[in-house]
Amino acid sequence: MARPDVQPVCRGPDQMTHVLMLLSSPRGKASLSTRVANALADRLTLRPGATLKVRDLAAETLPHINPAYVVGRMLAPEKRTAAQLEAVALAETLVAELEAADVLIIAASMINFAPSSTLKAWIDHIVWPGRTMLPTPEGPRGLIKGKKVFVVAASGGIYSSGPMAANDMLVPYLKQILGFIGITDIETIRAEAQSFGPDKAAQGAAAALEQVAVVA
Ligand SMILES: Cc1cc2nc3c(=O)[nH]c(=O)nc-3n(C[C@H](O)[C@H](O)[C@H](O)COP(=O)(O)O)c2cc1C
C-alpha cells in the first residue's frame, strides 16, 4: 500500500539507482538491522543497472579521527604532511561514495542508546566543514543534496513511542547529523523490541520487514 508521506525511490527510465548501504552492527550474522537493510537493498536494486555498494563498518572498521585528519582536512593539499594526506584521502573516499549514491541505507543498531562507534566513526569522517557542509553567518549549510536515506534502526527496547522514546539518541541524532550536511529526505524503519522475548522480537522483526515492502 502506497503511503502519501513516502517519497518514491524509483528513478526515471534513463536513470539508474545507486545504493550505498552502511552496516554497523557489532552482532555479526545475528544482526537484525543487517537483515532488514539487505531486504531493502534487494528491493531497491531490482531495476536493471542499479548498483549496490556495501560498507560493513563493523567488519572493516574505520580509524577514529585524529589530529592528522582534523588538521589536515582544513589545509590545502600541498600543505598536508604524508600522514595528513593519508587521513584526508580516506575521508575523501567515504565522501565520494556518499556523493555517488542516490540512496543511502544506514543499518543502525542501537548501542547504549546511540549509534555504534563504528557508524559514528563514518559520520566523523564525512561531516567535513568546507567539503560536505559550510559554516555561514546564517548558520550551517549542507552541501550533500538529492539523497534519499533509509535508516534501519534495530533496538532492544521500543522508542518509536512510549516512555522510552525520549532516550532515543539514535534516530534523532542520525536525522540531525544528516540534516547538517544537507540530507533531509529520511525514512526510518524501526526494528524494535528485540530484548522483549522471542515473540515480541519476532513481531518487531516482522513489522520492519513489512515496512520494507511498503517503502520500496
Ligand atoms: C552492547 C550493546 C548495547 C545495547 N544497548 C542498547 C540500548 O541502549 N538500548 C536498546 O534498546 N537496546 C540496546 N541493545 C540491544 C540492541 O539494540 C539490539 O540487539 C539490536 O537488535 C541490535 O541491532 P542488530 O540486531 O542490528 O545488531 C544493545 C545491544 C548491545 C550488544
Side-chain angles (χ1 to χ4, degrees):
M1 185 176 54
R3 270 177 41 189
D5 57 321
V6 173
Q7 300 295 315
V9 166
C10 298
R11 319 287 298 166
D14 54 340
Q15 289 177 294
M16 292 183 291
T17 302
H18 300 293
V19 180
L20 171 62
M21 179 164 69
L22 305 177
L23 307 177
S24 65
S25 170
R27 300 194 318 119
K29 289 190 174 12
S31 168
L32 178 59
S33 64
T34 301
R35 179 148 70 94
V36 175
N38 274 321
L40 180 58
D42 284 348
R43 292 180 75 99
L44 293 176
T45 52
L46 279 176
R47 279 190 156 219
T51 65
L52 174 64
K53 161 83 187 163
V54 181
R55 236 189 211 273
D56 188 337
L57 300 166
E60 290 183 57
T61 52
L62 298 169
H64 290 296
I65 55 170
N66 61 16
Y69 172 61
V70 295
V71 176
R73 69 181 180 167
M74 307 310 285
L75 297 174
E78 65 276 10
K79 298 237 168 83
R80 291 174 187 150
T81 64
Q84 288 168 342
L85 284 169
E86 190 181 341
V88 177
L90 171 60
E92 183 53 54
T93 298
L94 300 172
V95 172
E97 287 174 2
L98 176 61
E99 287 177 327
D102 312 298
V103 180
L104 174 63
I105 302 174
I106 304 180
S109 319
M110 179 179 281
I111 300 298
N112 298 320
F113 301 102
S116 66
S117 56
T118 57
L119 177 56
K120 182 61 165 49
W122 180 85
I123 291 167
D124 290 342
H125 280 86
I126 60 101
V127 177
W128 180 350
R131 181 69 179 81
T132 57
M133 59 76 57
L134 280 181
T136 78
E138 293 75 43
R141 181 152 66 83
L143 299 178
I144 305 293
K145 298 292 182 192
K147 313 293 177 199
K148 170 90 188 180
V149 177
F150 294 96
V151 171
V152 178
S155 56
I158 293 176
Y159 302 87
S160 54
S161 62
M164 289 300 284
N167 295 295
D168 182 4
M169 308 295 154
L170 175 60
V171 173
Y173 170 68
L174 290 175
K175 287 184 173 171
Q176 185 275 333
I177 199 67
L178 291 168
F180 189 64
I181 60 167
I183 298 173
T184 53
D185 186 358
I186 303 168
E187 182 86 16
T188 304
I189 298 174
R190 296 266 189 182
E192 304 188 284
Q194 295 307 297
S195 302
F196 291 177
D199 291 349
K200 293 265 187 256
Q203 280 171 23
L209 290 165
E210 271 170 32
Q211 210 185 335
V212 165
V214 171
V215 300

